[in-house]
Amino acid sequence: MTTIRLQNTKTRKREEFVPIDPANVRMYLCGPTVYDRAHLGNSRNVLLFDVLFRLLRHIYGSDHVTYVRNFTDVDDKINARAAETGRAIGDVTAETIGWYHADMDALGALRPTHEPRATDYIAQMITMIQDLIAKDHAYAAEGHALFSVESYSAYGALSGRSIDDMIAGARVEVAPYKRNPMDFVLWKPSGDGQPGWDSPWGYGRPGWHIECSAMAYDLLGETFDIHGGGNDLQFPHHENEIAQSACAHPTGEFARYWIHNEMLQVEGKKMSKSLGNFFTVRDLLDQGIPGEVIRLVMLGTHYGKTMDWTDARRVEAEGTLRKWYGILHGHGFGPDLIRALQADGKWEADSEFLGVLANDLNTFGALARLHVLAKGKTPAALAGFAHGLEMLGLVNDWAAIPMFDGGEAGSDVAPEVAARVDALLAERATARAAKDWARADQVRDILNAAGVQVTDVGGQATWTPGQSFDAAKLGDL
Ligand code: AMP
Ligand code: ZN
């Protein structure tokens, strides 16, 4: 059996993964707060956990892995969004969950086994908080319930901080009802217009951290295998989850392996709204960039390293996939061929590919191996290549190999349409040279709306029509 190794944040070591129960391998990923579209950075741990889910299913069997990812649907950012737009909170969260599914589906991410919503687990959270208070790990004060960090001696172990370091380094909210400034909120009072539920501490709503502890306990038990999220969640969120769960269920271990991914940057800079390099997954899809291309770029950097989204990488990924899908197509890959390979016992993972991927989810190395396997000359020799593409989620339906519409991109664009795009690009260049950013942005918006993919290299713009290319949106020809 393939051995998986994982870099465990808890021990700071790369360890062999041994499941508690191979018949039910259990993992939990902290999911989104649903008030807005997912930005590209948010997709990084979704894709990481999707590859892990696929790998575990391959090794232990598809019915033997339970994957839980929650929706945080009670949060002050959601309340603010509902108030700004004059909409009901339930409408905002339902719409955002729909967007999230559509966007992550487009990236080829499998749906988790369970996607619990926090608001469906209020009773379990209240029970857990009552239990923590009964065990003297929490206390009630002024309509709040607070976790007492001094009651848990291992507080800070995951992220390697002491309580004093945390107080010194963090902008903690000092409040008169807190015994220690690091004590965190389990329950807080709700006023008019805020969502709330009756509780032993009054009408209110949960703090953020308790939901993951309550849902993981309910769906995965007091000890489960793998937990993860972005590096930025280690403290305080994961530290607090551990404290709550360890104190409420002292006979359990909560999560045995913790996996944290590094952050995403854009063209070498942190993605942020103020730098204007902030974009959502949907923005990219709307520009006609196929989900598979986004996925390949994201898998091209090991999760433990900061990754950079660049246009050059996007173009390179698109070229690679066109080549790879062309190979599959050229050798007749489809449901019939897969069935035939299965019948011949040839539908198997390449052992080197699997070994590399299982070594701390080295997607970069696995892709390098696919470049080698792509050189096979017969369907049987290409079986490991095709199997690997499926395992990385780059082919999800053999009846519809993506990005393959029978020809090279751009070959069917009429000359007058091409001339119009060239004219728009020339106009954008002129506007930029004259620092007329408004006009340059206007032209960019027209090109985006029409699904034109522009690549700027060395001051020179080239373009290809994306999947959703629509010449009618280019304006007057
Ligand atoms: P947030 O929307 O900030 O609550 O984050 C939701 C999830 O996305 C968390 O797991 C974060 O760690 C992750 N995340 C947020 N920003 C980035 C980024 N720039 N790169 C990678 N992951 C991110
Ligand atoms: Zn969480």
Side-chain angles (χ1 to χ4, degrees), residues 24-302:
N24 185 17
V25 182
R26 285 158 285 163
M27 58 192 235
Y28 187 99
L29 176 65
C30 297
T33 303
V34 284
Y35 67 101
D36 207 353
R37 286 261 185 204
H39 66 69
L40 187 62
N42 299 140
S43 74
R44 196 169 187 200
N45 54 50
V46 174
L47 293 175
L48 171 68
F49 267 64
D50 186 54
V51 170
L52 176 61
F53 187 38
R54 288 167 187 267
L55 179 65
L56 291 168
R57 283 160 55 108
H58 175 77
I59 295 174
Y60 297 98
S62 45
D63 295 335
H64 300 291
V65 186
T66 305
Y67 172 20
V68 177
R69 183 182 66 208
N70 65 304
F71 283 117
T72 299
D73 63 351
V74 50
D75 184 274
D76 290 347
K77 287 195 250 354
I78 304 174
N79 306 342
R81 180 59 54 98
E84 269 162 34
T85 53
R87 300 173 65 200
I89 286 173
D91 288 351
V92 172
T93 57
E95 178 180 63
T96 313
I97 289 172
W99 286 339
Y100 191 79
H101 277 147
D103 296 349
M104 297 307 137
D105 289 353
L107 297 184
L110 300 172
R111 298 273 178 102
T113 323
H114 302 285
E115 296 184 277
R117 298 180 188 200
T119 51
D120 289 333
Y121 282 81
I122 300 292
Q124 289 88 332
M125 293 187 229
I126 290 175
T127 303
M128 195 167 195
I129 298 169
Q130 283 179 302
D131 189 22
L132 287 169
I133 293 176
K135 290 175 175 151
D136 270 341
H137 289 294
Y139 55 94
E142 297 182 30
H144 292 72
L146 295 136
F147 186 91
S148 166
V149 293
E150 279 162 295
S151 76
Y152 177 54
S153 61
Y155 191 72
L158 180 77
S159 56
R161 302 162 205 235
S162 69
I163 293 180
D164 288 343
D165 289 347
M166 293 179 208
I167 294 175
R171 274 173 289 172
V172 289
E173 194 191 337
V174 183
Y177 47 80
K178 284 188 182 179
R179 290 184 193 160
N180 180 307
M182 289 311 296
D183 289 351
F184 58 88
V185 170
L186 300 168
W187 190 266
K188 58 187 172 185
S190 290
D192 284 345
Q194 289 176 322
W197 293 262
D198 289 325
S199 83
W201 317 286
Y203 181 76
R205 60 197 191 283
W208 169 32
H209 317 291
I210 191 73
E211 70 180 80
C212 289
S213 288
M215 292 188 281
Y217 177 66
D218 197 77
L219 294 163
L220 299 176
E222 64 177 22
T223 309
F224 58 94
D225 296 291
I226 304 171
H227 194 319
N231 255 346
D232 56 338
L233 294 189
Q234 272 186 45
F235 176 79
H237 183 55
H238 288 159
E239 212 65 84
N240 293 355
E241 280 188 34
I242 292 172
Q244 294 160 160
S245 295
C247 294
H249 311 295
T251 53
E253 295 171 51
F254 197 42
R256 286 196 166 170
Y257 301 82
W258 284 84
I259 305 186
H260 290 99
N261 62 280
E262 260 298 346
M263 296 288 107
L264 170 113
Q265 300 188 335
V266 180
E267 309 281 356
K269 297 199 183 77
K270 182 179 187 293
M271 185 190 245
S272 83
K273 280 198 170 141
S274 56
L275 288 173
N277 64 356
F278 177 94
F279 46 82
T280 64
V281 172
R282 181 53 47 181
D283 291 333
L284 295 177
L285 295 168
D286 282 350
Q287 285 166 33
I289 302 175
E292 291 81 6
V293 172
I294 302 172
R295 185 174 178 106
L296 182 58
V297 175
M298 300 297 285
L299 298 185
T301 303
H302 185 261

Side-chain angles (χ1 to χ4, degrees), residues 106-107 285 288-299 309 313-319 321-322 325 394 403 453:
L107 297 184
L285 295 168
I289 302 175
E292 291 81 6
V293 172
I294 302 172
R295 185 174 178 106
L296 182 58
V297 175
M298 300 297 285
L299 298 185
W309 172 273
R313 285 194 170 163
R314 192 265 300 161
V315 172
E316 190 188 332
E318 176 147 0
L321 285 177
R322 284 201 191 283
Y325 293 143
L394 291 164
M403 288 169 62
Q453 291 177 25

Side-chain angles (χ1 to χ4, degrees), residues 371-387:
H371 278 285
V372 175
L373 294 172
K375 298 192 170 97
K377 296 285 179 253
T378 62
L382 286 164
F385 167 68
H387 194 284

Side-chain angles (χ1 to χ4, degrees), residues 286-289 314 417 421-422 424-425 444-455 462-471 473-474:
D286 282 350
Q287 285 166 33
I289 302 175
R314 192 265 300 161
V417 173
V421 176
D422 289 339
L424 284 167
L425 285 172
R444 181 202 58 204
D445 292 345
I446 295 172
L447 292 166
N448 282 348
V452 178
Q453 291 177 25
V454 181
T455 311
T462 55
W463 64 277
T464 50
Q467 263 193 340
S468 63
F469 180 69
D470 182 359
K473 294 194 179 141
L474 287 168

Side-chain angles (χ1 to χ4, degrees), residues 412-431:
D412 52 357
V413 173
E416 63 272 22
V417 173
R420 170 68 180 153
V421 176
D422 289 339
L424 284 167
L425 285 172
E427 191 167 345
R428 192 188 61 152
T430 311

